[in-house]
Amino acid sequence: MAWYTILPFILIIKEGTCFQSFKPDIAIIGGGIGGAASSHFLTELFKNNLKIDLYEAKSIGGRLATVKIDDNEFEAGGSIIHPQNKYMQEFVKLLGLEHVSPNGKRTSIWNGNEIVFEESNWKILSLAKLIYRYGIQPFTLNRHVTSVINDFEKIYHLQDAGESFTNITSLLLAMNTKFPKLLQKSIKDYLENLGYSEKLINEIVEATVVVDYGQDVNVQSFVGLVSLAAAGFNLWSVKGGNKKVPEHLIYRNKYVNVVPSCVIKIVNIPTNSTQNLYEVHYRNQDSTIIMKAVYDIVILAIPLTHDQEFPIIFEGFPRNDFYNQGKYHETVATFVKANLKPYHFGLEEESNILSCDPNKTVISSLGRINSIEGTIGNSKIWKIFSNKHLNSAILNEMFSNFKMFKIQETKQIVWKAYPEYSTEIREAKFKLHDALYHVNAIEWIASAMEMSAISGRNVALLAHNDFLTKFLFEESKQMNIPEVPESTPSSEL
């Protein structure tokens, strides 16, 4: 019987004394939805008995951001949320925020030469068009995606029970033993093996992957299925901007101290106890002075790839390079106030456009957007996603009377939005070292607001459980409780 089997007894003895009075010092690096969710769940788990410094080099919200045009603001980053996203729903309710629905404009799929599918203003006619071109396969595919979502939702029950996972494979296995294999096969091969037609895959499926991730059907299957789920009904966003969720989770939490600084180094400090300490080196963006602070727990809520803007040096670790060898996909968001030229796409009237071949279309998607308050007003603002900068000549082909807005002294917003997905296996880890954790590891499964929230809770559970175990071990040594050899039968105790 090992020493940890008597931990419940130690907890009973010590409850209300030392453990309750000890507050772990925690650093969270990154103020996006992953960092915000981590801070929220850590505060719950430690029952407010903690101190958090949250480092953000730019602005709270991360890739959830808005852009101001005229007198309105519009979503520039992550825009839509699925109705079955449990944590995002709970956050909105907890924070007293409201839902808004995306615009109801019909959508067309464009391959660069022609419109291959065009929705009608009448739902029944749209269904008839869908069946005429693709048969019943869109409906069987929808059922398959729903079954995958149902299995994935097991994560909520596992986390409610206190389960946590050190890497993405163990997390996927806990939901469905077949899930890890989805990372090893492209969504195209996966659906072809299930008997879906090339037309459906190259048009409907590719359009969803292009609009959500700027990539094609060679992405791994899990992220492809997530894209298809995001093409469902009753999608929504947060009134006032999706960034309000991380902002409110962070600024309303009195145990979180926001440090507007860039972290440049994390040093592992050896100690004589089982508890690791980490020294965080940071500096303000407009200063050359490097400051330091020591923490019991460090949580990285940022991508760990070599193509990021603010790379961190890891020093004193047995394995110093925690960076993934992959890279993030660069997406360009362009905002224009203009009149669409429907005839350029082969349309008779305005429609949102999804590309199913971005090599030919140049754009990934194009849509008229509501303000973050859910209203359009008299303006005609269009948002275009593309993999490259769009010049005036391209925009003139698509729009008349257009004005391109200057955003932060540039004409277009360029951001590393999500990983470049492939079928190469990347065993991304949530736990990098004894008390060093990585929220964004989950993005190699799929990148979405809810995925970051799930990972935030997973990392919070890992950090809390590890800290509790280490703390109680130290307490048992101080109380002179002997360690019992592993080989001792329980009946002899």
Side-chain angles (χ1 to χ4, degrees):
M1 179 178 178
W3 64 269
Y4 52 76
T5 60
I6 59 174
L7 289 182
F9 300 103
I10 299 171
L11 183 58
I12 292 170
I13 293 169
K14 300 299 288 181
E15 187 174 6
T17 56
C18 292
F19 179 68
Q20 290 297 318
S21 64
F22 190 87
K23 292 185 178 182
D25 288 311
I26 302 173
I28 297 177
I29 301 167
I33 187 63
S38 299
S39 68
H40 170 75
F41 290 120
L42 281 166
T43 303
E44 282 190 340
L45 288 164
F46 280 100
K47 302 186 186 303
N48 303 333
N49 202 51
L50 77 174
K51 293 182 290 183
I52 297 174
D53 284 340
L54 188 143
Y55 293 86
E56 174 52 56
K58 287 189 171 180
S59 58
I60 297 299
R63 283 170 279 173
L64 301 184
T66 60
V67 59
K68 190 170 184 179
I69 299 174
D70 291 341
D71 295 325
N72 294 308
E73 286 187 64
F74 301 86
E75 293 285 2
S79 302
I80 58 169
I81 304 169
H82 195 275
Q84 289 175 253
N85 286 172
K86 179 176 181 286
Y87 291 147
M88 291 302 293
Q89 293 275 19
E90 289 179 353
F91 290 156
V92 166
K93 184 177 180 180
L94 173 70
L95 300 169
L97 300 172
E98 299 178 43
H99 290 197
V100 291
S101 299
N103 73 60
K105 206 165 196 61
R106 61 200 181 90
T107 298
S108 301
I109 299 176
W110 183 45
N111 67 7
N113 295 322
E114 61 179 343
I115 295 293
V116 297
F117 179 76
E118 179 184 359
E119 281 186 330
S120 168
N121 292 325
W122 299 91
K123 186 176 180 180
I124 190 69
L125 184 55
S126 294
L127 289 173
K129 285 183 173 183
L130 198 68
I131 294 170
Y132 178 78
R133 185 163 184 85
Y134 305 106
I136 64 168
Q137 285 197 342
F139 307 100
T140 60
L141 179 57
N142 182 63
R143 285 197 296 271
H144 181 71
V145 172
T146 299
S147 71
V148 172
I149 292 172
N150 291 339
D151 278 340
F152 186 79
E153 286 181 337
K154 293 175 184 175
I155 190 61
Y156 301 122
H157 303 293
L158 292 166
Q159 292 189 325
D160 286 343
E163 293 285 333
S164 60
F165 307 93
T166 60
N167 55 55
I168 59 173
T169 298
S170 60
L171 183 144
L172 289 171
L173 279 170
M175 294 179 283
N176 186 315
T177 56
K178 296 180 181 179
F179 275 1
K181 294 181 180 178
L182 294 175
L183 305 183
Q184 303 171 31
K185 181 176 289 189
S186 73
I187 187 66
K188 181 177 183 178
D189 290 344
Y190 176 77
L191 293 177
E192 281 181 347
N193 290 342
L194 290 177
Y196 289 96
S197 70
E198 186 174 325
K199 183 184 290 185
L200 180 80
I201 294 168
N202 291 341
E203 295 177 3
I204 296 286
V205 179
E206 176 127 5
T208 64
V209 177
V210 170
V211 69
D212 287 334
Y213 295 106
Q215 295 163 68
D216 59 26
V217 287
N218 291 311
V219 300
Q220 45 92 345
S221 300
F222 197 95
V223 76
L225 292 167
V226 168
S227 272
L228 288 166
F233 299 100
N234 301 318
L235 302 174
W236 58 282
S237 58
V238 179
K239 188 174 184 179
N242 293 328
K243 68 179 183 180
K244 281 191 172 293
V245 173
E247 285 178 348
H248 286 19
L249 283 175
I250 289 168
Y251 287 125
R252 290 188 184 185
N253 189 335
K254 65 181 181 180
Y255 303 99
V256 174
N257 169 48
V258 176
V259 184
S261 298
C262 174
V263 172
I264 57 177
K265 184 189 291 187
I266 299 173
V267 181
N268 178 35
I269 303 175
T271 66
N272 294 325
S273 69
T274 58
Q275 289 181 238
N276 277 82
L277 293 176
Y278 301 103
E279 187 177 69
V280 172
H281 296 213
Y282 63 99
R283 63 175 174 82
N284 192 282
Q285 284 295 86
D286 55 2
S287 173
T288 58
I289 300 172
I290 297 175
M291 294 167 282
K292 303 174 184 179
V294 176
Y295 299 95
D296 303 292
I297 297 167
V298 173
I299 292 173
L300 301 168
I302 55 173
L304 280 181
T305 52
H306 291 287
D307 60 349
Q308 295 303 308
E309 185 177 358
F310 303 110
I312 296 173
I313 297 169
F314 296 93
E315 188 174 291
F317 293 88
R319 171 177 168 262
N320 277 354
D321 187 8
F322 297 119
Y323 284 87
N324 191 292
Q325 294 305 308
K327 63 179 182 177
Y328 269 53
H329 186 86
E330 189 170 272
T331 289
V332 181
T334 304
F335 295 83
V336 298
K337 183 179 180 180
N339 296 316
L340 187 72
K341 295 178 179 176
Y343 55 85
H344 173 76
F345 307 95
L347 294 166
E348 294 184 0
E349 57 182 294
E350 285 187 354
S351 171
N352 293 332
I353 307 291
L354 304 182
S355 167
C356 63
D357 188 349
N359 291 326
K360 283 187 178 180
T361 63
V362 182
I363 66 169
S364 297
S365 65
L366 178 157
R368 188 178 176 189
I369 55 174
N370 295 351
S371 77
I372 56 176
E373 300 300 328
T375 57
I376 296 178
N378 295 322
S379 65
K380 288 190 175 181
I381 307 299
W382 295 81
K383 178 166 69 173
I384 308 108
F385 280 127
S386 59
N387 291 330
K388 297 179 180 178
H389 287 268
L390 302 178
N391 58 39
S392 296
I394 293 172
L395 293 170
N396 269 317
E397 291 177 358
M398 300 179 181
F399 298 96
S400 60
N401 304 319
F402 85 86
K403 175 185 177 183
M404 186 190 294
F405 290 87
K406 288 192 175 183
I407 311 300
Q408 296 176 350
E409 300 182 355
T410 67
K411 294 181 179 181
Q412 297 162 325
I413 297 175
V414 182
W415 45 303
K416 293 186 184 296
Y418 21 69
E420 285 276 6
Y421 290 106
S422 70
T423 55
E424 294 178 10
I425 303 170
R426 292 187 177 94
E427 186 51 280
K429 296 180 180 180
F430 298 112
K431 183 173 180 175
L432 302 176
H433 192 248
D434 290 352
L436 177 66
Y437 308 92
H438 186 214
V439 176
N440 292 59
I442 204 165
E443 289 196 89
W444 295 102
I445 298 175
S447 180
M449 284 176 262
E450 186 73 1
M451 297 296 284
S452 293
I454 288 168
S455 190
R457 190 177 187 189
N458 179 61
V459 163
L461 285 164
L462 275 171
H464 177 260
N465 294 341
D466 287 347
F467 181 81
L468 183 64
T469 301
K470 292 172 185 177
F471 180 83
L472 292 176
F473 177 66
E474 290 298 316
E475 289 293 292
S476 69
K477 289 200 299 184
Q478 292 177 21
M479 294 171 64
N480 295 318
I481 297 177
E483 182 174 332
V484 182
E486 286 281 354
S487 58
T488 306
S490 59
S491 60
E492 293 181 17
L493 298 176

